[in-house]
Amino acid sequence: MDDLCQACVAHFPGLHGVGVAVMTGTAQQVRYASDPVSARVEQLQLLLGEGPCRDAFDAGSPVLADDLQATAWRHRWPAFAGAALQAGARAVFALPLRAGGLGVGVLDLYRDSPGVLTGQELTDALDFADAVTDLLLAEVVPDEDSSGDHGSAAVSYLAHRAVVHQATGMISVQLETGLEEAFARLRAYAFAAERELDEVAGEVVARRLRFDELDGGPDCGAGDRDGTR
């Protein structure tokens, strides 16, 4: 994956980074990021629940944001656009990763200056997306598996994020709310605290952070750091 994504960056003039997200209809995991800006762009979309990655996955077609400062993109993603610009991304191109009619994730490309993907560049980018899809499926679908259910690949891969799912369940119980609301609370806390989602989830699972004890700020209710709470 690293070699393929680095080759993708080198292939396109003006491209500065690549991110790969593995997704289902309700969950998302950052599988690869070529640099800190790409990692932040991927995390922002996960935490905020909006951005070109989410839209490309839902629509099953590329989303090409050639200038995040443009009014249209700021209106479309009011939280993501400004945060991505602050992180150092000016243009983001999201290409869905699909196996047949099923989506398994998205390949995100970013530039630190405005610009477009030309017709041939877009064709080449889609070829890279197909190659990334093949690698993702090879990671989670054994060679002898002849079921053809490639959609389960994303589910299998996301199953490795057990700590996030466990934390979501614990928050749901603590707040007496549904899982969707609990996951939204977890994402919002991680974003406000500028921390990785996995790190915050680990604190919840270790019982060092309880969401029913928070009183507003991301640093509140963290519990005893020795894990006795």
Side-chain angles (χ1 to χ4, degrees):
M1 182 68 73
D2 182 77
D3 290 344
L4 178 60
C5 289
Q6 291 297 337
C8 182
V9 174
H11 180 77
F12 298 100
L15 192 67
H16 291 86
V18 173
V20 176
V22 181
M23 304 174 68
T24 67
T26 58
Q28 178 176 340
Q29 177 187 2
V30 179
R31 167 61 179 85
Y32 176 85
S34 64
D35 62 284
V37 176
S38 289
R40 184 58 177 162
V41 167
E42 296 302 320
Q43 284 292 326
L44 284 170
Q45 295 183 94
L46 171 60
L47 296 175
L48 297 173
E50 67 176 36
C53 177
R54 184 79 252 175
D55 288 3
F57 181 81
D58 290 341
S61 58
V63 175
L64 309 175
D66 57 347
D67 188 353
L68 290 175
Q69 285 190 350
T71 301
W73 300 120
R74 283 182 170 273
H75 284 172
R76 185 165 176 173
W77 309 306
F80 169 78
L85 285 165
Q86 186 175 15
R90 182 69 181 271
V92 179
F93 312 111
L95 310 174
L97 306 176
R98 300 185 67 79
L102 298 172
V104 297
V106 174
L107 173 68
D108 284 326
L109 317 175
Y110 91 88
R111 297 168 50 104
D112 64 7
S113 60
V116 300
L117 286 179
T118 65
Q120 185 57 52
E121 286 175 338
L122 179 56
T123 298
D124 293 347
L126 291 171
D127 287 339
F128 274 107
D130 287 342
V132 169
T133 301
D134 290 342
L135 280 180
L136 289 176
L137 295 177
E139 289 179 345
V140 293
V141 179
D143 291 339
E144 63 271 16
D145 182 3
S146 59
S147 66
D149 184 12
H150 296 307
S152 64
V155 177
S156 299
Y157 198 94
L158 287 163
H160 297 169
R161 292 286 297 279
V163 66
V164 173
H165 298 304
Q166 185 177 354
T168 299
M170 292 173 67
I171 295 168
S172 175
V173 172
Q174 292 167 11
L175 300 181
E176 298 182 355
T177 189
L179 291 174
E180 185 174 354
E181 172 67 17
F183 184 51
R185 294 287 190 94
L186 178 63
R187 291 187 307 171
Y189 182 95
F191 177 72
E194 297 184 348
R195 298 173 64 188
E196 296 291 332
L197 188 66
D198 290 352
E199 180 186 0
V200 175
E203 295 238 334
V204 174
V205 172
R207 294 179 171 78
R208 293 193 295 268
L209 172 64
R210 291 187 60 93
F211 274 61
D212 56 352
E213 295 177 355
L214 297 180
D215 58 7
D219 296 326
C220 300
D224 297 328
R225 292 296 175 179
D226 62 2
T228 56
R229 176 173 294 185

